[in-house]
Amino acid sequence: MSKKEDLLKEIAVVKEELAELEQKRLRSQASLMESLIDKEEPKEQEKSYFKTLSSLIKLQREKLQMLTDELQLMKDQK
């Protein structure tokens, strides 16, 4: 496989993983919001889960940007 095809595949995988992480974080966010609306202290586990997901999303976005930049650089060189 060519480097370009490998990059395109990896970009697709990262986008899919990112979408899954964002969906999980959305559910976690809903749980946190529900606690706040009910004027309850959110569970530490839920807060930790939300923070972890947010960190993973940030890393995936950075990876996606790096791969996209690399792909663009390949296109520009042709």
Side-chain angles (χ1 to χ4, degrees):
M1 248 192 257
S2 73
K3 176 72 172 168
K4 182 179 177 182
E5 289 172 341
D6 289 342
L7 279 173
L8 289 170
K9 272 189 173 182
E10 193 167 356
I11 286 171
V13 168
V14 170
K15 283 182 177 181
E16 186 175 320
E17 290 172 353
L18 187 56
E20 289 173 10
L21 287 169
E22 288 173 337
Q23 187 67 22
K24 289 178 183 178
R25 184 176 68 172
L26 192 57
R27 287 192 299 265
S28 177
Q29 185 178 11
S31 176
L32 291 171
M33 289 297 294
E34 187 175 337
S35 294
L36 292 174
I37 290 169
D38 293 342
K39 297 184 181 184
E40 297 173 355
E41 180 65 28
K43 296 177 185 173
E44 282 302 316
Q45 181 181 4
E46 196 61 50
K47 291 192 286 187
S48 176
Y49 190 62
F50 180 82
K51 288 178 182 180
T52 299
L53 288 169
S54 293
S55 294
L56 291 172
I57 288 169
K58 181 180 178 190
L59 290 173
Q60 286 297 85
R61 286 181 180 158
E62 289 171 358
K63 184 176 181 180
L64 180 59
Q65 185 62 53
M66 181 189 71
L67 293 169
T68 304
D69 289 347
E70 188 175 343
L71 182 61
Q72 187 61 46
L73 184 62
M74 287 180 69
K75 288 179 179 179
D76 290 346
Q77 289 178 348
K78 288 187 177 183

